[in-house]
Amino acid sequence: DAGDRVPRRRSVGGSMRVTPQSLAPERGSGQQDVDAATETHVASTKVRVGAKRGRPADRDMHPDDETRINQFAEAVRGYEILPDGSIGRGDGRVPEATVENNLGILRRFARWLRAANRDSMASRFLNDPDSLAVDIADYWASGEDDQNRLNSALSHFRRLGPEGQELQAVGAGPRLMGRRIHDPYPDDARVIDSLAKEELSKFGPVSISQKNASNQRKFSDWLKREGRGSIVSRLTGTDQQQRSLQEDFRKFTEAEGKVVVSLDRLRQYLGAESQLKQHNPYPDDALMIDGLANEELSKLGPDSTSKRKVVQNMAINQRRFSDWLQKNGRGSISSRLTGSDEQQRSLKDDFREFTTNVEVKISVGFDRLRQYLGAESQLKQHDPYPDDTRMIDGFANEELSKLGPDSTSKRKGVLNLASNQRRFSNWLRKNGRGSISSRLTGSDEQQRSLKDDFREFTTNVEVKINVSLDRLRQYLGAESQLKQHHPYPDDALMIDALANEELSKLGSASTSKRRVVWRLASNQRKFSDWLQTRGRESIASRLNGSDQQQWSLKKDYQDFTEDMG
């Protein structure tokens, strides 16, 4: 009867085995018997799932697919390592989220097969794999598997044996499914697992640490399959061994794509000196670089893995550049970093030559090194007008005083803006134009000439630059340029009321949103000003008026945008 065909499970030595009488039925007259039997087994499940999700009947799976997927789920959830540990690794359990993810992918494909009037998966895994491959291609082409996960799910699904239902092809080492699917060298596995546990105890479940461990296993697995030596056997060995490991890693990334395996972390775990110090910088540079790196790292918490990596990579780049300088008989970084203009220019020239000899864009953070030595930041290397200097420094200090110690990106924004303002004032001075502060709150003619000079200045720089003249104007206590236009009085009341209402909803930290409100109010004032100077009626008098009035307002707005851009 149908009950005899329902899969039963039994545990042998801790390994899960599932044994139905038949897994992949022959197509033909026997198919109806199988369908009838399996329908009895899954009827209640189909009704319950269909009712829960509101899915129409034609979106259900073929009965044999549903049975086989349920068998697979049961086998995976019951999978355990053998007592001697010869199958699986760790506790052998597959995370439930991983199980559900794979089952969801399989069920979606099975429902698609039935909805598209295709035969089931179960009936074709062994009998007709070619036609199943065609259906898989059609499924991909339909856009149903936009992340290409079906292949991985099917590879797990095919592990369900055709006879005894035991999960097959699960040898010693790799996990059944999920993250731990690689089979590294045993000596590599021990070190990788030990490092991962050490980092887990220090930092908690940090995703980058877990990803590093997975990538390291993947690399070791590749080395094993390719017949190359293990990571550990060469990581701290002779120069020849280390070079061969680097060469193998290069080939690995060519085959697998960009993968980060953090060999240096493994090297340090084994007690070897970090590759950070494999370069041979000038002694004075080494002291400076190590001092800055240690200072930066001391500010970071144990969870700041990505920020620590940035600091370490910057130190590597600085050591690498100093090493290059020493090998090529050039002066050290520290001997020229805060020296004369000529020395600083020669250092920049050397860095430009150095970067032509490296394969990727590289940064060495000269300005951070300069500030570490106690020198003034390059932000103040420009030579602006004295009155502009006082204004720019005062504004920058006021803005910085509002920020907390953790507002690194905002502090950088303030300092960059101050640098841009100094740069513009320096250009004005060199070209015999008046200072910013002498014209910023002056007559209309002075303010227009300042804007014209800024427009000319921006044509001479290679990147888009912002100096926020309006912020400087407000710092001096002048009215914002938002109110420099002269709108109709009724428009001004409406525009100001709307702007104040919008600003009242925003917190003091909503700088970008406040800027949007100000800019919109400025545009509205500008339009009303334009209407008034051309003898057109105000916005407010026509905004909610007759169809003719509203049409005329839209027509005036079109004329305004053509005129003003």
Side-chain angles (χ1 to χ4, degrees):
D1 59 21
D4 291 333
R5 297 181 186 276
V6 176
R8 290 194 296 271
R9 35 190 292 205
R10 61 189 178 87
S11 178
V12 179
S15 178
M16 183 56 60
R17 304 173 189 272
V18 183
T19 54
Q21 288 187 351
S22 174
L23 167 69
E26 296 283 342
R27 297 194 60 77
S29 60
Q31 182 68 41
Q32 293 178 349
D33 294 335
V34 174
D35 288 348
T38 53
E39 282 172 1
T40 301
H41 175 60
V42 301
S44 61
T45 303
K46 286 172 61 177
V47 171
R48 183 171 63 254
V49 174
K52 182 179 179 180
R53 299 187 182 177
R55 188 175 65 250
D58 63 357
R59 291 297 290 166
D60 286 335
M61 298 173 258
H62 289 286
D64 54 338
D65 277 348
E66 185 164 7
T67 298
R68 184 168 175 77
I69 290 172
N70 288 340
Q71 292 169 354
F72 174 67
E74 198 172 34
V76 171
R77 288 190 174 108
Y79 176 78
E80 297 175 344
I81 57 173
L82 293 174
D84 63 359
S86 60
I87 293 182
R89 183 167 53 80
D91 60 6
R93 297 286 184 181
V94 179
E96 184 60 25
T98 304
V99 178
E100 286 296 330
N101 182 50
N102 281 275
L103 293 177
I105 294 166
L106 294 171
R107 284 168 179 150
R108 281 194 294 274
F109 179 51
R111 291 184 187 114
W112 180 87
L113 287 173
R114 183 159 185 175
N117 201 26
R118 313 289 176 92
D119 289 336
S120 66
M121 288 187 287
S123 65
R124 291 184 289 166
F125 266 134
L126 300 178
N127 302 1
D128 194 3
D130 291 341
S131 75
L132 182 60
V134 171
D135 287 348
I136 291 171
D138 291 345
Y139 183 67
W140 286 338
S142 70
E144 293 286 342
D145 187 31
D146 59 335
Q147 294 184 321
N148 296 327
R149 293 176 175 174
L150 179 60
N151 241 354
S152 176
L154 287 174
S155 69
H156 298 311
F157 193 40
R158 289 188 177 98
R159 287 179 170 177
L160 201 59
E163 296 298 334
Q165 289 291 355
E166 185 180 14
L167 291 167
Q168 298 181 333
V170 186
R175 194 171 186 159
L176 173 61
M177 66 168 66
R179 296 173 190 258
R180 299 178 176 179
I181 58 174
H182 306 300
D183 185 17
Y185 278 105
D187 55 342
D188 289 344
R190 284 192 294 273
V191 173
I192 293 166
D193 283 354
S194 297
L195 173 60
K197 288 177 182 176
E198 180 182 280
E199 292 188 337
L200 180 65
S201 66
K202 290 180 181 177
F203 309 136
V206 182
S207 60
I208 192 169
S209 178
Q210 295 166 342
K211 188 173 183 180
N212 280 341
S214 177
N215 289 343
Q216 289 158 355
R217 288 182 163 278
K218 186 176 183 179
F219 179 37
S220 181
D221 178 270
W222 182 87
L223 291 172
K224 189 176 180 182
R225 284 187 281 111
E226 296 290 322
R228 317 290 173 91
S230 68
I231 300 173
V232 170
S233 67
R234 297 182 285 169
L235 191 63
T236 58
T238 65
D239 290 345
Q240 177 62 33
Q241 288 176 310
Q242 293 188 44
R243 276 197 298 271
S244 73
L245 182 61
Q246 290 288 351
E247 182 60 29
D248 283 345
F249 178 68
R250 191 174 298 109
K251 292 176 182 176
F252 165 68
T253 54
E254 288 174 358
E256 301 291 334
K258 185 178 179 181
V259 180
V260 177
V261 298
S262 296
L263 294 177
D264 200 66
R265 285 291 297 116
L266 290 170
R267 183 178 293 107
Q268 292 176 72
Y269 177 76
L270 292 174
E273 189 177 43
S274 169
Q275 281 282 25
L276 293 173
K277 299 182 180 179
Q278 291 293 314
H279 302 299
N280 187 27
Y282 279 104
D284 54 343
D285 286 345
L287 287 171
M288 173 181 66
I289 293 165
D290 287 352
L292 173 61
N294 290 334
E295 181 181 282
E296 294 291 310
L297 291 171
S298 68
K299 300 174 184 176
L300 302 177
D303 296 333
S304 304
T305 310
S306 60
K307 292 180 180 179
R308 297 179 78 84
K309 185 176 179 182
V310 169
V311 173
Q312 291 165 347
N313 284 344
M314 183 67 77
I316 292 174
N317 293 341
Q318 292 163 347
R319 287 179 163 276
R320 186 177 178 183
F321 178 43
S322 181
D323 185 9
W324 181 88
L325 291 172
Q326 186 164 213
K327 287 178 179 176
N328 287 274
R330 316 290 173 88
S332 68
I333 301 173
S334 60
S335 68
R336 295 182 286 169
L337 191 62
T338 58
S340 65
D341 290 345
E342 178 61 33
Q343 287 177 309
Q344 292 187 43
R345 273 197 298 272
S346 71
L347 181 62
K348 288 182 179 179
D349 290 341
D350 284 345
F351 179 67
R352 192 175 298 112
E353 184 180 343
F354 164 70
T355 55
T356 62
N357 296 312
V358 294
E359 64 281 358
V360 292
K361 186 177 180 181
I362 198 169
S363 172
V364 295
F366 283 142
D367 203 65
R368 285 293 297 116
L369 290 169
R370 184 177 291 106
Q371 292 177 72
Y372 174 74
L373 293 176
E376 192 175 44
S377 169
Q378 279 282 25
L379 293 173
K380 299 183 179 179
Q381 290 293 315
H382 304 298
D383 187 18
Y385 278 105
D387 54 342
D388 287 344
T389 298
R390 287 190 295 272
M391 174 182 66
I392 293 166
D393 286 352
F395 171 63
N397 290 334
E398 181 180 282
E399 292 295 305
L400 291 171
S401 68
K402 301 173 185 176
L403 303 176
D406 297 330
S407 305
T408 309
S409 60
K410 292 181 180 179
R411 296 179 74 85
K412 185 176 180 181
V414 172
L415 295 173
N416 283 343
L417 182 59
S419 178
N420 292 342
Q421 292 163 346
R422 287 176 164 279
R423 186 176 180 182
F424 178 39
S425 180
N426 181 66
W427 181 88
L428 291 171
R429 189 185 59 77
K430 287 182 176 178
N431 287 276
R433 316 290 174 89
S435 67
I436 300 172
S437 61
S438 68
R439 295 183 285 169
L440 191 61
T441 58
S443 65
D444 290 346
E445 178 61 34
Q446 288 177 310
Q447 292 187 45
R448 275 197 297 272
S449 71
L450 181 62
K451 288 182 178 179
D452 290 340
D453 285 345
F454 178 67
R455 192 175 298 111
E456 184 180 343
F457 163 68
T458 56
T459 62
N460 295 311
V461 293
E462 64 282 359
V463 293
K464 186 177 180 181
I465 199 169
N466 175 38
V467 297
S468 288
L469 295 177
D470 200 66
R471 295 295 307 283
L472 289 171
R473 183 178 293 107
Q474 293 176 72
Y475 171 73
L476 294 176
E479 191 176 44
S480 168
Q481 278 283 27
L482 292 173
K483 298 183 179 179
Q484 291 292 314
H485 306 298
H486 300 287
Y488 277 102
D490 55 344
D491 287 345
L493 288 172
M494 175 181 66
I495 293 165
D496 286 351
L498 173 61
N500 290 334
E501 180 179 298
E502 293 296 312
L503 291 171
S504 69
K505 301 174 185 176
L506 303 176
S508 58
S510 305
T511 311
S512 60
K513 293 181 180 178
R514 299 177 77 87
R515 190 178 295 120
V516 169
V517 175
W518 285 327
R519 189 173 295 144
L520 183 60
S522 178
N523 291 341
Q524 293 163 346
R525 288 177 162 276
K526 189 175 183 179
F527 179 35
S528 183
D529 186 349
W530 183 89
L531 291 172
Q532 186 166 212
T533 57
R534 284 158 179 78
R536 317 283 176 93
E537 293 178 20
S538 68
I539 301 171
S541 67
R542 294 183 285 170
L543 194 61
N544 294 315
S546 65
D547 290 345
Q548 178 62 32
Q549 287 177 309
Q550 292 186 41
W551 178 86
S552 69
L553 181 61
K554 289 181 179 179
K555 182 66 173 62
D556 285 345
Y557 177 65
Q558 289 174 356
D559 294 341
F560 165 71
T561 55
E562 289 174 6
D563 187 17
M564 305 302 292

